[in-house]
């Protein structure tokens, strides 16, 4: 009898602990969402014409209630940029999170795997020499070039990873090799192009949200919304991948097939994001690490957590890019690295638990 | 009741043959089978082949299974650095192939698996923070929580202290009997094999060289031939067979 009672109380304890853990994580995700909403509103309010948060809320609630000038500024000019920050941040962070998961490597991200560098090279070809890989409207030549080269890089890495003797550890090295190759090619392009073209290439590689427009936002959002459920479907299997291939296999996961599918999906996410806003290297690496510290690696929380962290970092970056030098919008890629990396180091050095 | 029989099972890595035509009698649920053999004999490969992770000739015959996935496999321990609690890592093992929604009965099964192995207090710990021995017990819980009818355990006691080795093998034998589960366990300690297993199969260089009741298979001749040690097997004061190793030869 007493044994029975002891067992029952222990089971309640097990349940209780887990339920509390789940509740805590749900609250963290809620807090991130609220912070994101706040940052988004501040992002809308800031700019050459400043609005109060109340005016922004009013304009969001009913666009007709505010002046036409406010409506145009908030809805037509700032909204696509602010929304693009959210979608691009979420996309890059999810891409990094799943790259780190399937490659079991804390350094994996769209940037370190060469996908961003590939995109920059594609963009530079268009900006410097007018090379058009896929014919399209003038506005889309640069992003399409960037997208194609980003996907080519992802497939090159995948093709190389299929060779015998290439381990998942080697894949990140292959990615870094791609970064160096593309950087050299970029230097070569800049060497042979006009000063004006060099300036355009350099500005593009800095990463800037000001390239955002409504149509670009809808494309990026559609890809994100399409990819998310496909990743969520593999939630348990992806979580198992973090215990290593052998363990995952023993739980019925096929690591090779999963790695291929997820790599294609996240390359698509990263390529679209980079193609539209340029190189923003920091989010894909750091977004997932912050999410991991906050909600752990159960994909049911890690996936939305990564998306929210990425979106929040980029949204805050967008806010900072407007207020650091009043009157100037500093390219977001510079802000996220300059402000974000010290913050990230602070988190890592002060985090009590190991986070990788 | 579930049964498992291997029929001319073989496996190769590239051109290298690892297992050569392994055939066994039919093993029945409720029994514990020791898989013995020196290092690199092909024990892990046999488990992988039975579990379906390796292709090859021959057939794994399973009859009488009630579920679609009757076999669970616990591979040898590897270090992990995932940011997951022990509880989550066991829950995740149960939820593979299921929906994202966790039901109360899933949590009850996790509680039960942790409880059975005496590791409930570890539930809230991070999987990367526990010792190798504790991790091995968590691995066993990850396999048990899948409610297998056939359980393949690859050296589950290799990182455990003596007390935990005895307790894990005692628990496994009891669970095999209670649940009519067939457990196949790779062991290096032949004394444990003699004490806790009903049947034994011995691999050497990828070939099955002995198979039958453990008491009949584990003999001084076998120890000499396979493990190259001189040894005696004598009953102890309680009548249990006791393995006494004298020297390597």
């Amino acid at each position: 009898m007493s044994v029975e009672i002891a067992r029952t109380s222990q089971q309640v304890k097990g349940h209780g602990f887990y339920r509390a853990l789940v509740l805590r994580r749900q609250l963290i995700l809620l807090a991130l969402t609220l912070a994101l909403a706040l940052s988004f509103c501040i992002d809308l309010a800031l700019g050459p014409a400043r609005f109060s948060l109340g005016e922004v809320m009013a304009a969001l609630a009913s666009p007709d209630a505010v002046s036409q000038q406010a409506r145009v500024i908030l809805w037509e000019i700032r909204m696509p940029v602010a929304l693009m920050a959210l979608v691009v941040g979420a996309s890059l962070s999810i891409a990094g999170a799943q790259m780190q998961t399937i490659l079991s490597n804390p350094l994996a991200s769209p940037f370190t795997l060469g996908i961003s560098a590939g995109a920059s090279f594609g963009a530079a070809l268009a900006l410097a020499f007018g090379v058009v890989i896929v014919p399209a409207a003038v506005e889309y030549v640069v992003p399409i070039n960037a997208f194609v080269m980003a996907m080519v890089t992802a497939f090159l890495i995948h093709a190389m990873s299929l060779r015998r003797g290439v381990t998942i550890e080697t894949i990140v090295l292959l990615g870094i090799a791609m970064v160096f190759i593309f950087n050299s090619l970029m230097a070569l392009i800049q060497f042979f192009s006009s000063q004006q073209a060099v300036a355009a290439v350099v500005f593009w590689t800095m990463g800037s949200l000001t390239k955002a427009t409504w149509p670009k936002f809808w494309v990026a959002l559609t890809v994100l919304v399409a990819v998310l459920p496909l990743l969520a479907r593999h939630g348990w299997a992806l979580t198992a991948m973090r215990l290593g291939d052998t363990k995952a296999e023993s739980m019925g996961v096929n690591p090779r097939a999963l790695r291929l599918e997820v790599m294609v999906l996240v390359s698509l996410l990263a390529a679209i994001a980079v193609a539209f806003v340029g190189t923003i290297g920091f989010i894909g690496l750091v977004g997932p690490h912050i999410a991991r510290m906050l909600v752990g690696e159960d994909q049911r929380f890690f996936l939305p957590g990564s998306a929210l962290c990425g979106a929040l970092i980029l949204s805050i970056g967008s806010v900072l890019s407007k207020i650091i030098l009043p009157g100037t919008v500093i390219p977001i890629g510079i802000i996220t690295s300059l402000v974000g990396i010290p913050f990230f180091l602070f988190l890592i050095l002060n985090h009590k638990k190991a986070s990788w | 009741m579930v049964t498992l029989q291997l029929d001319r099972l073989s496996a190769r890595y590239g051109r290298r043959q690892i297992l050569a035509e392994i055939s066994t009698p039919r093993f029945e649920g409720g029994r514990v089978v020791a898989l013995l053999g020196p290092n690199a004999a092909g024990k892990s490969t046999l488990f992988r082949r039975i579990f379906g992770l390796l292709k090859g000739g021959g057939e794994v015959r399973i009859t009488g299974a009630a579920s679609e996935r009757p076999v669970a496999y616990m591979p040898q321990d590897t270090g992990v650095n995932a940011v997951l609690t022990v509880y989550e890592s066991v829950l995740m093992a149960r939820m593979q192939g299921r929906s994202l929604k966790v039901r109360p009965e899933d949590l009850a099964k996790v509680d039960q698996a942790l409880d059975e192995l005496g590791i409930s207090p570890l539930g809230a710990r991070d999987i990367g923070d526990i010792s190798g021995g504790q991790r091995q017990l968590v691995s066993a819980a990850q396999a048990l929580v899948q409610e297998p009818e056939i359980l393949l355990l690859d050296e589950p006691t290799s990182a455990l202290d003596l007390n935990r080795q005895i307790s894990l093998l005692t628990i496994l034998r009891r669970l095999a009997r209670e649940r009519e589960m067939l457990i196949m366990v790779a062991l290096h300690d032949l004394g444990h094999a003699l004490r806790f297993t009903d049947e034994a199969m011995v691999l050497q260089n990828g070939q099955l060289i002995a198979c039958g009741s453990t008491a009949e298979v584990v003999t001084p001749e076998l120890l000499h031939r396979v493990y190259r040690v001189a040894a005696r097997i004598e009953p102890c004061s309680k009548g249990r067979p006791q393995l006494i190793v004298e020297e390597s030869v």
Side-chain angles (χ1 to χ4, degrees), chain B residues 51-217:
Chain B
F51 190 64
L53 295 177
L54 285 176
K55 299 269 181 281
E59 194 187 349
V60 178
R61 274 193 212 125
I62 295 171
T63 61
S67 59
E68 270 181 36
R69 278 171 50 190
V71 188
Y73 161 53
M74 169 189 158
Q76 277 184 49
D77 182 51
T78 48
V80 288
N81 55 7
V83 186
L84 287 170
T85 61
V86 165
Y87 198 96
E88 288 175 292
S89 79
V90 177
L91 176 67
M92 169 200 74
R94 178 174 174 82
M95 298 307 293
Q96 291 302 327
R98 300 175 194 231
S99 79
L100 289 177
K101 184 159 178 54
V102 176
R103 298 162 306 165
E105 58 258 43
D106 296 318
L107 297 183
K109 290 291 175 193
V110 176
D111 287 339
Q112 189 187 359
L114 293 174
D115 195 26
E116 271 163 352
L117 293 167
I119 49 172
S120 295
L122 292 183
R125 296 269 298 276
D126 272 352
I127 186 108
D129 280 350
I130 58 177
S131 73
Q134 289 171 327
R135 209 163 50 229
Q136 220 160 22
L137 292 173
V138 172
S139 291
Q142 288 167 342
L144 273 178
V145 81
Q146 300 172 42
E147 298 184 278
E149 294 167 75
I150 298 172
L151 178 55
L152 311 174
L153 301 165
D154 200 350
E155 297 189 22
T157 55
S158 61
L160 299 181
D161 62 39
L162 191 57
N163 178 295
R164 289 211 169 85
Q165 290 179 31
I166 303 291
S167 109
L168 176 65
L169 290 169
T170 307
I171 291 165
L172 289 174
R173 195 167 62 159
R174 177 172 59 76
L175 291 176
R177 304 280 195 265
E178 282 175 8
R179 299 180 185 176
E180 293 196 331
M181 173 167 58
L182 171 63
I183 296 182
M184 194 179 272
V185 52
L187 291 172
H188 275 303
D189 188 323
L190 301 189
H192 288 347
L194 278 168
R195 184 165 165 194
F196 292 103
T197 67
D198 306 298
E199 280 148 295
M201 45 194 295
V202 184
L203 288 184
Q204 189 175 28
N205 297 327
Q207 302 200 320
L208 185 67
I209 58 165
C211 186
S213 87
T214 310
E216 285 170 9
V217 166

Side-chain angles (χ1 to χ4, degrees), chain A residues 44-58:
Chain A
L44 283 180
L46 291 179
R50 293 212 171 185
F51 297 96
S52 70
L53 276 181
E55 284 171 306
V56 171
M57 301 283 204

Side-chain angles (χ1 to χ4, degrees), chain A residues 10-11 14-15 17-19 25 236-237 239-240 242-243 247 249-251 253 296-298 300 353 356, chain B residues 48 51 69 73 75 81-84 87-88 91-92 95-96 99-100 102 107 111 115 124 126 139 142:
Chain A
Q10 208 160 36
Q11 283 183 15
H15 268 93
F17 148 73
Y18 183 69
R19 292 239 158 90
R25 290 185 175 164
W236 296 117
T239 310
R242 285 290 289 113
L243 301 185
K247 212 48 192 287
E249 278 181 327
S250 81
M251 294 178 182
V253 177
E297 286 189 281
D298 178 339
R300 291 172 306 150
K353 284 186 187 172
W356 186 271
Chain B
R48 291 174 66 81
F51 190 64
R69 278 171 50 190
Y73 161 53
N81 55 7
V83 186
L84 287 170
Y87 198 96
E88 288 175 292
L91 176 67
M92 169 200 74
M95 298 307 293
Q96 291 302 327
S99 79
L100 289 177
V102 176
L107 297 183
D111 287 339
D115 195 26
D126 272 352
S139 291
Q142 288 167 342

Side-chain angles (χ1 to χ4, degrees), chain A residues 67-247:
Chain A
S67 71
Q68 198 193 345
Q69 188 202 12
R71 192 170 66 235
V72 169
I73 292 175
L74 289 173
W75 278 90
E76 300 301 324
I77 299 172
R78 292 189 195 166
M79 187 74 83
V81 176
L83 285 174
M84 197 66 164
L86 306 190
V87 173
V88 165
S91 298
L92 288 176
S93 184
I94 289 171
Q98 302 307 10
M99 286 172 179
Q100 288 167 14
T101 300
I102 57 176
L103 299 178
S104 259
N105 195 313
L107 290 176
S109 77
F111 189 74
T112 44
L113 286 185
I115 292 176
S116 304
S120 299
F121 174 67
L125 280 180
L127 292 168
F129 303 136
V131 175
V132 178
I133 299 176
V134 180
V138 177
E139 192 194 349
Y140 286 96
V141 165
V142 174
I144 286 179
N145 265 19
F147 175 76
V148 170
M149 283 312 297
M151 289 308 282
V152 166
T153 313
F155 279 106
L156 269 178
I157 292 203
H158 184 70
M160 288 191 281
S161 75
L162 293 179
R163 289 177 66 93
R164 269 188 83 148
V166 175
T167 61
I168 53 170
E169 290 83 7
T170 334
I171 296 177
V172 176
L173 287 181
L174 291 176
I176 290 171
M178 299 299 281
V179 173
F180 282 114
I181 291 173
F182 282 124
N183 282 351
S184 311
L185 289 172
M186 292 280 286
L188 201 62
I189 289 179
Q190 291 177 21
F191 182 73
F192 283 114
S193 41
S194 67
Q195 220 166 15
Q196 216 174 3
V198 171
V201 170
V202 168
F203 183 74
W204 194 91
T205 54
M206 282 174 184
S208 170
L209 288 168
T210 52
K211 299 168 187 136
T213 58
W214 275 113
K216 287 178 184 172
F217 163 72
W218 288 119
V219 173
L221 181 69
T222 307
V223 172
L224 177 64
V225 169
V227 167
L228 262 181
L230 296 176
L231 291 174
R233 193 165 62 103
H234 293 301
W236 296 117
L238 281 165
T239 310
M241 288 291 279
R242 285 290 289 113
L243 301 185
D245 279 15
T246 313
K247 212 48 192 287

